[in-house]
Amino acid sequence: MSAASGKRLGRILVQSGLITVEQLEEALGLSADGRSLTGVLSDLGYADDAKIAQVVAGQMGLTYVDLAGFEIDPNAATMIGIDMARRYTVLPIKLQDEELIVAMSDPANILAIDDLRIVTGFEIRPVLAAESDLVNAIEKFATASENVADMMGDLEDKLGTVSVDEEEEDVTSENAPVAKLMNMIITEAIRQGAGNIYVEPQENDMRIRFRIDGVCQEILRSPKRLHRQLLGRIKINSGMNIAEKRVPQDGRFGVVLDGKAVDFRVAVLPLVHGELVVMRLLERASIMMSLEDLGFLEQPLTRLMEALALPYGALLVTGPTGSGKSTTLYAAINKTSDVGINLITVEDPVEYRLPGLSQVQVHEKAGLTFAAALRSILRQDPDTVMIGEIRDKETGTIAIEAALTGHLVLSTLHTNDAPSTLTRLTEMGIEPFLIASAVTCVLAQRLARRLCVECKEQYTPSEEVLTRVGFPFEPGNPPKIYRATGCKKCNNIGYKGRVGIYEVMSMSENIERLAVENASTDEIKRQAIAEGMVTLREDGFKKVLLGQTSIEEIMRVVV
């Protein structure tokens, strides 16, 4: 920042009442060595740089942008060099309506704006940002750009000049540039708490996305030629056939980072533009959680514990993919596992490999199906059997019969709620009287994003809104609840982490009778509610009242 710019900024801050004339003079004296006035004022404690940016934006009629939570367009950010970004403390953040929106700490710097216009070829629309946020964003892009540029340069030198055999040998080397890129991607995914990594081939480039708290976020785009190298590296690490490109493949690998052991379950699917890779992150520590840690309220947890205490019967967990069913099953296993109990699982795939547990991996091509594995398992005299998923009549029948012959059976099923599980089993072709006799408890669940504890905002919603969504309240006295706002801690999303939403239906004599009579899902649901079942939506609304999540999030995840 030039001396003239510093004085202009100082006059604005004094006129706004943010600092005094004496404080400005002191700061200008200390900034004579080349430091920015904003930085000096912040160091002296006279004014926060975010507040300075907001005041200047108001005085100049410009927009203030909180970069800590703004989704910066990487295509815009890379329109200028890092040297230029550092020299002027500027960063292009978005291309909109033939204008390049550029975050600046000193929008009065006409020379910087002219240079940006010449270099990019776009009209420049400056916006204000806190200097510290701007510097952090520039350095973040600098680090990412330098890492990718180094890897890209090394790869470009080799691509097109090596044979297929040499290329395969290159992707197997730990020192290969593509190995460093893969390590960077998985390290960032673990540290950001991602649940999935997507490596997606597009028509002209490759896109990397992370799914964080159930929502996808774009992390990186790179030239299409890099996709082949990265795909080969992932396939080799996951134990797949690197030469096979026409059929889907599955694999896995594991890493330890910052003392955390993480398993990666990898699936490759051929698309029109190349092969899509989805890597699911499975943190081993998460499966050591107890049922009490998963977010159960007292009544649903009591019902579930009663079912787990029985030495026989089928306990079924239902919900969509990614709703935490496996975590709940493993938590149940942790509750029932004991040195005096023979516990065997059959899974496809085995997501978590646990010491001291007998786990069977389904292998369809070899004839080891769920049903075939179950028949053999029941000859091993197990006390508890965990079945990854009931997919068909044969598996379901064997599981139900096992529950009737003195085994505790834990399994999952894909249905919308707990009552519809009974009708789903009937539709599979399993006899209703067997279902009624064997099933002891059904748990339906969802995962909702948890409100960020640092920035959640309390408010009183309108009665109209509460009535429309079916939220229980006393007329004339709506409750105070919380909503998402966004801050630096949560990347301005307003949510950080997830909380479970549960519906536990215990099998009573009345519900058993309805199952035998082939009653509809609605009839079973009405009876379960009459007997005290807390529905998914009711459980979610209770967690809204506790300040754990928001109404909007419950309406997003619950039917």
Side-chain angles (χ1 to χ4, degrees):
M1 182 180 291
S2 66
S5 294
K7 290 178 180 177
R8 283 197 301 271
L9 172 61
R11 285 197 298 271
I12 291 173
L13 298 178
V14 170
Q15 290 169 4
S16 69
L18 188 62
I19 61 172
T20 65
V21 174
E22 292 76 15
Q23 289 172 336
L24 172 60
E25 290 175 352
E26 180 185 356
L28 286 172
L30 292 173
S31 65
D33 59 358
R35 296 164 62 199
S36 71
L37 179 62
T38 299
V40 172
L41 288 170
S42 181
D43 290 343
L44 290 172
Y46 293 154
D48 177 74
D49 61 348
K51 186 62 178 175
I52 291 173
Q54 291 170 23
V55 167
V56 174
Q59 290 286 329
M60 298 183 69
L62 297 174
T63 301
Y64 169 75
V65 174
D66 182 3
L67 283 186
F70 189 87
E71 187 175 346
I72 299 172
D73 182 351
N75 293 321
T78 53
M79 283 186 176
I80 65 171
I82 295 300
D83 290 341
M84 186 177 190
R86 287 169 172 159
R87 182 166 69 251
Y88 293 127
T89 318
V90 298
L91 186 67
I93 59 174
K94 190 175 182 181
L95 187 59
Q96 181 177 309
D97 300 329
E98 300 303 315
E99 286 185 322
L100 186 63
I101 300 174
V102 180
M104 308 179 70
S105 60
D106 180 18
N109 190 337
I110 304 301
L111 178 61
I113 293 175
D114 286 342
D115 281 358
L116 285 165
R117 186 182 296 113
I118 293 168
V119 169
T120 64
F122 287 96
E123 284 300 314
I124 304 301
R125 174 145 59 98
V127 295
L128 263 294
E131 186 173 298
S132 59
D133 288 347
L134 196 48
V135 170
N136 288 338
I138 291 169
E139 293 310 313
K140 177 181 176 181
F141 269 92
T143 302
S145 298
E146 288 164 5
N147 288 341
V148 174
D150 289 344
M151 297 168 196
M152 290 297 301
D154 291 342
L155 285 166
E156 288 291 335
D157 290 342
K158 295 178 181 181
L159 285 172
T161 63
V162 297
S163 67
V164 174
D165 291 340
E166 289 173 326
E167 183 179 305
E168 184 169 334
E169 181 180 342
D170 182 55
V171 297
T172 63
S173 170
E174 292 299 325
N175 296 319
V178 72
K180 296 176 184 176
L181 176 60
M182 181 174 169
N183 291 340
M184 183 186 76
I185 291 169
I186 64 176
T187 297
E188 193 65 20
I190 294 171
R191 288 180 175 163
Q192 289 194 31
N196 292 297
I197 302 172
Y198 301 88
V199 180
E200 302 169 299
Q202 308 292 300
E203 184 176 3
N204 300 311
D205 59 7
M206 175 182 73
R207 178 173 69 176
I208 308 290
R209 290 193 297 168
F210 294 165
R211 185 182 291 276
I212 301 173
D213 293 336
V215 179
C216 289
Q217 300 177 22
E218 184 173 316
I219 303 299
L220 174 70
R221 278 186 183 266
S222 66
K224 182 70 173 286
R225 298 184 72 191
L226 183 56
H227 178 256
R228 184 179 62 188
Q229 289 271 325
L230 184 58
L231 179 66
R233 179 71 191 181
I234 293 171
K235 283 184 173 181
I236 288 171
N237 275 20
S238 307
M240 299 181 193
N241 181 357
I242 191 172
E244 181 57 74
K245 298 177 174 62
R246 298 165 300 173
V247 297
Q249 295 189 69
D250 296 302
R252 67 185 304 139
F253 65 91
V255 300
V256 177
L257 179 70
D258 300 334
K260 294 192 295 186
V262 182
D263 287 328
F264 286 76
R265 198 176 85 191
V266 185
V268 174
L269 178 68
L271 304 179
V272 292
H273 295 305
E275 292 176 273
L276 165 69
V277 180
V278 180
M279 293 184 277
R280 186 175 181 187
L281 283 71
L282 305 167
E283 190 176 335
R284 295 176 197 171
S286 67
I287 59 164
M288 302 314 293
M289 297 175 69
S290 67
L291 288 169
E292 290 82 0
D293 295 331
L294 294 180
F296 280 92
L297 296 177
E298 184 178 355
Q299 192 251 36
L301 181 60
T302 300
R303 290 187 166 205
L304 186 60
M305 297 297 286
E306 288 172 353
L308 286 171
L310 297 172
Y312 58 87
L315 190 158
L316 304 177
V317 182
T318 182
T321 302
S323 61
K325 298 188 299 296
S326 295
T327 301
T328 301
L329 277 182
Y330 278 107
I333 286 175
N334 290 336
K335 180 64 67 175
T336 58
S337 183
D338 184 83
V339 69
I341 292 175
N342 183 18
L343 196 157
I344 305 177
T345 77
V346 52
E347 305 165 69
D348 182 24
V350 175
E351 293 189 350
Y352 301 97
R353 298 179 182 179
L354 301 179
L357 194 64
S358 301
Q359 296 174 279
V360 178
Q361 168 71 58
V362 167
H363 196 304
E364 298 277 354
K365 290 181 180 178
L368 185 57
T369 62
F370 273 113
L374 267 175
R375 289 193 191 93
S376 296
I377 284 173
L378 295 177
R379 290 194 287 270
Q380 308 298 320
D381 191 27
D383 298 295
T384 303
V385 179
M386 194 271 270
I387 307 165
E389 182 184 349
I390 294 177
R391 297 178 178 175
D392 51 45
K393 176 183 178 181
E394 189 178 15
T395 306
T397 301
I398 298 171
I400 292 297
E401 289 175 350
L404 288 171
T405 54
H407 304 90
L408 177 60
V409 176
L410 311 176
S411 189
T412 71
L413 202 66
H414 286 279
T415 59
N416 285 330
D417 56 15
S420 61
T421 300
L422 303 183
T423 53
R424 174 75 182 110
L425 291 171
T426 302
E427 289 167 0
M428 280 184 176
I430 302 172
E431 293 293 339
F433 71 90
L434 291 177
I435 298 169
S437 302
V439 176
T440 56
C441 182
V442 182
L443 162 66
Q445 67 179 72
R446 300 288 190 277
L447 287 178
R449 289 182 293 174
R450 189 184 292 271
L451 284 168
C452 174
V453 296
E454 299 291 335
C455 65
K456 64 182 181 180
E457 177 185 64
Q458 190 177 59
Y459 75 109
T460 303
S462 69
E463 294 192 14
E464 180 186 354
V465 170
L466 295 176
T467 302
R468 187 169 67 249
V469 301
F471 196 99
F473 71 98
E474 182 183 335
N477 187 29
K480 290 184 182 296
I481 58 176
Y482 290 86
R483 61 186 168 197
T485 55
C487 66
K488 295 178 183 179
K489 296 278 187 179
C490 61
N491 290 327
N492 210 40
I493 296 171
Y495 299 94
K496 195 170 182 64
R498 290 195 281 183
V499 60
I501 309 299
Y502 302 102
E503 174 179 281
V504 180
M505 182 181 77
S506 299
M507 290 293 285
S508 65
E509 289 185 8
N510 288 327
I511 295 176
E512 286 179 10
R513 177 177 50 78
L514 289 173
V516 171
E517 294 172 354
N518 276 329
S520 67
T521 296
D522 288 340
E523 291 177 279
I524 295 172
K525 185 172 185 176
R526 282 195 294 270
Q527 182 61 40
I529 292 173
E531 294 178 2
M533 181 186 79
V534 177
T535 65
L536 282 166
R537 183 170 291 195
E538 289 170 346
D539 189 73
F541 286 159
K542 288 183 179 182
K543 282 161 186 172
V544 169
L545 289 171
L546 291 172
Q548 296 177 358
T549 188
S550 66
I551 284 181
E552 294 79 11
E553 189 64 9
I554 295 304
M555 299 311 294
R556 182 181 73 87
V557 300
V558 176
V559 177

